[in-house]
Amino acid sequence: MGIKDRVKKNKISTKLSDMKITIAGRPKSGKALDVNTKIPTPSGWKFAKDIEVGDEIFDRLGKPTIVLGVYPQGELEAYEVVMQDGTSFVANDEHIIPYVTSKKNINNKTLKEMMVDYKKPKTKFEHDTHTHKYRIPKNNAVEYEEKNLVIEPYALGVLIGDGCLLEGKLSISSNELDVLEKASKSLGLSMPYKNSQKNYTWNYETNEQTKKIKDELKFLGLNVKSVEKHIPYKYLISSIEQRKELLAGLMDTDGTVSINRDTGSMRYQFSTSSKQLKDDFKELALSLGYGVTVSVDNRHLKEGSNANFANYSLSVYTDEVIVSSEKHLKKLEGYEVRSFKDHYTYITDIVEVEPREMVCFKVDNEEELFLINDYIVTHNTSLFYEILKREGGLDTGLLFAFEKGYNFLDGINVVDIASWSDFIDAIDELEDDNEGFIYVGIDTVDIAGRLCQEYVLRKQSTKDGKRYDAMADIPFGKGYELVEAEFSRQFARLDRIFGGWMGITHDKDKTVKEKSGLEYDKTMMSANGRTGDYIKNSSDFIVFIDIQTEKTRDKETRKQTVKENRKIRFRGDGTTEAGGRIKEVPEEIDYDVDLFLKTIHDAVLANTGTGEESAEEKPKEKKVRKTVKADKPKEKEENVADIDSIKSKIGDFLSDLDLSEKKVWAKRFKEELGTMNFNESDDVKALQSILTDMEVK
């Protein structure tokens, strides 16, 4: 046996399944928030840096939404966005922010775009120097779960508002009997009695129930002076109904109703001398979707006095009736409760602050919006999916999901990967039997790289009997080599099984500084380090899905229209990372899956310099033509029609089968047609034989 017996003649393939393609794109979830941003979750508040994939946060409608992706962005330029109601958050200028249009729709812009015109000069008929353009939508009431509470929320609101919370007798100071009756009933107590007719202090009899209530108040940290009052955390994350009852108790005691008798508009006000209660009341009202503004009166304070003794006034805006006392309800008689400030709040200022560590999220809801601190509404693989639908069907593809970004991809075959060991086990199973899959996708390759690093750290720590927390801890730089070797080993196995793979990643912006001093921003793949280098160096194509905005102005109406165009970039332009081994590609194309497939096909052929496929890749129909006489073109057309008819019937038959049955037929396709995708074959006899067997079954 000589060397020639081992030589094989290489043939150019334009099959997508034989290629290594990396797809990068911008996650449409908002670019970057400060990692110390507080985010409400069904189990309570968390910092953005502690949010993980699979966690639940809340969408604009107040419903739980799953976090599909968490993308650390590193240290970026930061801006504080301040709202009319005093709420604020810190984000990068590329962060996507929703706003309410004049037609009451929700649109989105980056903070950078808003900075240009968020303030605009007022007309001569308006008093202030500026008005504010962007209205940020308010959230609906947040749907926390109902809590098991010892003291009913309404009664607790009354006790916080008018109760004496210090040690001693349980008492309430009020002159409203209906409020006392409702609170007493909620507390499970009889009506209290007065010590003196000259004041409004009502005392409850000391018994087991009052002792239980006093103990609970103490447990909740409410045995305090007026300036130290607050709302216990558990009550702030109770159900909508429980929070509304608590708010009613607070409003019935320390609240007022103000009505503009000329316009019929109204607002609610709540007053307190406790700074903490001011903050808690604001959080309570915001969590219910109401508008809130805060004012403070500290004119009576002397220099050096404790600011906790200031008087705080909170205005609440809502179309709902949030009071229940006879006094307040009587005041509302004859007036329609209406307010518009609960629907949105304006951006009043955008201020640059020190650079911050940033993170962005991808969430599982159609609007791609989620709530952050003070319940402010903000933002937040399909190409692989669309390729499968055109290249043999969804059952020909397998997605390794390192993150759950596939929720809207109906019918796709998914293997959830939680660790690098999971990934290795899955590849082991595919080596035994690839189950008829032709295409494999990895979502995302950057998370795969991170899990590979964690795997190597654990493995090397065990081997050396030491604890390594970072790659740099492994002596002599060996850790980086081990990661590269392990990562490339598993991807090489995928290459042997499938012939190629599709890696999915996201983008990040990086400031590039040239030696000449030139400095510019460049959009790059978020896959980095040795694993990122492997992906880049192995890829035949690195494509970047971009969103470009086009602004046009109507000459007659002078109205400006902003249109978003999605593009697929094949080559980098100095500010975007794209490219690969195949050079004969356009710089960019419109986002069109069929056009993408054609561009790939044409680029591979153009790269050979021949413009033709190898004999093995040419349709087998060309071989058949040699047996067809030139004077019978009609028979040739009939053969083509027969093939199309047979394939159509095979496709109809497969559509009614479950996945396991389809895999059985896929193996037969491979054996008899040379490919598991029967649409790629032109062997009429073999196709007809398969169809005959299908019809028998």
Side-chain angles (χ1 to χ4, degrees), residues 368-387:
E368 297 180 332
L369 300 174
F370 59 95
L371 303 182
I372 57 176
N373 53 285
D374 288 325
Y375 297 95
I376 298 170
V377 179
T378 187
H379 276 273
N380 152 216
T381 352
S382 60
L383 182 56
F384 176 65
Y385 180 71
E386 294 299 328
I387 288 170

Side-chain angles (χ1 to χ4, degrees), residues 594-647:
D594 294 315
L595 179 58
F596 171 77
L597 294 173
K598 183 178 185 303
T599 303
I600 293 278
H601 178 275
D602 293 348
V604 172
L605 293 182
N607 199 63
T608 67
T610 63
E612 295 183 0
E613 297 172 90
S614 299
E616 186 178 280
E617 297 300 320
K618 292 178 182 179
K620 294 182 181 179
E621 178 186 321
K622 294 180 181 179
K623 294 181 180 179
V624 175
R625 285 176 184 168
K626 294 179 181 179
T627 64
V628 179
K629 294 181 180 180
D631 60 347
K632 291 187 178 181
K634 187 175 180 181
E635 181 181 329
K636 173 184 167 184
E637 291 174 4
E638 289 174 353
N639 283 342
V640 173
D642 287 343
I643 292 172
D644 291 339
S645 175
I646 293 169
K647 289 179 180 179

Side-chain angles (χ1 to χ4, degrees), residues 12 68 99 155 170 177 179 299 304 489 516-517 544 553 614 672:
I12 300 299
L68 301 178
Y99 66 95
L170 183 65
L177 291 179
V179 173
R299 290 173 295 177
R489 183 184 303 117
S516 62
F544 181 77
R553 188 179 294 276
S614 299
E672 298 187 24

